[in-house]
């Protein structure tokens, strides 16, 4: 039970919400990636598997580069540096609606969106572990599981909302809805910024 004190830390709450909304933004469209490639970007059926491999490679790059982004500070600071990335991601996600008419742009956009999918992961893991080490050393085991927990909640949320949007409005509107989730992530990372100065003082005294 003492481990659950971690959830009363404002930094942890904001970190979890950031990951939930960041994951939901990507999985709104990722759940329907093959139909989007086939019906919106008009990739021929025989090349869909090639397209999925290319998208997978972009996601692999996202994971690798996300590790480099996590090296930019300690505690909440790396995740606050993701805010400009969320802004660019939101604009690109909203532009997915154009893919229906400009197929070349749509194909390139899907690759770029794959490169954005996991950039937050390492930075959020740094937040969870560093905050637990600073203030809740008895909660390190729970902190280690928060990233996957938060991301899975985001996947469920994004997939569910994506299903509703696709059912009522069609595939082309999945991108703009994903952008709304990213706006939420932008707001939350902005709320994390006041903690950066506090943590710098903490680490300076170590």
């Amino acid at each position: 039970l003492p481990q659950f004190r971690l959830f009363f830390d404002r930094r942890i709450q904001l970190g979890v919400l950031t990951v939930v909304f960041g994951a939901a933004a990507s999985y709104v469209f990722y759940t329907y990636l093959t139909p989007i490639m086939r019906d919106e970007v008009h990739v021929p059926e025989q090349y869909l598997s090639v397209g999925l491999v290319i998208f997978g490679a972009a996601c692999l790059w996202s994971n690798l580069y996300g590790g480099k982004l996590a090296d930019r500070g300690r505690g909440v600071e790396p995740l606050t540096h993701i805010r400009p990335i969320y802004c660019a991601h939101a604009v690109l996600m909203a532009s997915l609606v154009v893919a229906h008419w400009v197929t070349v742009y749509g194909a390139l956009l899907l690759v770029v969106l794959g490169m954005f999918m996991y950039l937050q992961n390492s930075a959020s893991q740094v937040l969870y572990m560093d905050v637990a080490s600073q203030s809740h050393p008895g909660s390190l085991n729970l902190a280690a599981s928060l990233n996957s927990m938060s991301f899975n909640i985001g996947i469920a949320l994004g997939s569910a909302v994506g299903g509703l949007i696709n059912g009522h409005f069609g595939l082309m509107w999945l991108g703009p809805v994903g952008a709304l989730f990213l706006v939420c992530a932008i707001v939350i990372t902005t709320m994390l910024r006041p903690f950066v100065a506090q943590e710098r003082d903490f680490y300076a005294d170590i």
Side-chain angles (χ1 to χ4, degrees):
L1 288 177
Q3 292 203 52
F4 286 93
R5 293 174 184 169
L6 190 67
F7 288 115
F8 293 96
D9 193 302
R10 184 68 169 164
R11 295 166 295 176
I12 294 293
Q13 294 170 357
L14 294 174
V16 166
L17 287 174
T18 301
V19 175
V20 167
F21 287 121
S26 290
Y27 276 80
V28 162
F29 91 93
Y30 181 66
T31 305
Y32 296 94
L33 180 59
T34 299
I36 289 172
M37 291 174 62
R38 183 184 60 234
D39 302 332
E40 299 296 311
V41 182
H42 308 297
V43 175
E45 193 80 31
Q46 64 268 31
Y47 295 118
L48 285 175
S49 58
V50 176
L52 292 172
V53 169
I54 294 172
F55 187 87
C59 291
L60 176 61
W61 179 92
S62 179
N63 265 311
L64 294 173
Y65 192 70
K68 293 184 177 181
L69 292 175
D71 289 335
R72 299 171 60 187
R74 300 181 66 179
V76 304
E77 187 172 8
L79 194 57
T80 63
H81 290 317
I82 303 293
R83 187 176 64 161
I85 293 173
Y86 283 141
C87 293
H89 195 183
V91 173
L92 291 170
M93 189 73 79
S95 72
L96 189 60
V97 71
V98 179
H100 183 77
W101 295 284
V102 188
T103 56
V104 174
Y105 174 76
L108 294 173
L109 178 61
L110 288 179
V111 175
V112 175
L113 290 177
M115 296 171 70
F116 275 85
M117 274 192 73
Y118 302 112
L119 292 179
Q120 67 181 359
N121 283 7
S122 295
S124 58
Q125 185 72 5
V126 168
L127 183 152
Y128 299 140
M129 298 307 295
D130 281 358
V131 169
S133 297
Q134 289 172 31
S135 307
H136 313 280
S139 304
L140 285 172
N141 289 336
L142 179 60
S145 68
L146 285 181
N147 208 33
S148 56
M149 181 201 76
S150 307
F151 204 85
N152 285 329
I153 293 172
I155 291 173
L157 175 62
S159 299
V161 172
L164 291 172
I165 297 302
N166 182 42
H168 290 85
F169 303 104
L171 291 170
M172 64 186 298
W173 294 105
L174 295 175
V177 172
L180 293 178
F181 281 125
L182 287 164
V183 170
C184 294
I186 293 166
V187 171
I188 296 167
T189 49
T190 302
M191 294 169 67
L192 276 170
R193 288 180 66 85
F195 295 103
V196 173
Q198 299 174 23
E199 290 188 345
R200 282 178 179 164
D201 292 340
F202 173 84
Y203 288 116
D205 294 336
I206 295 178

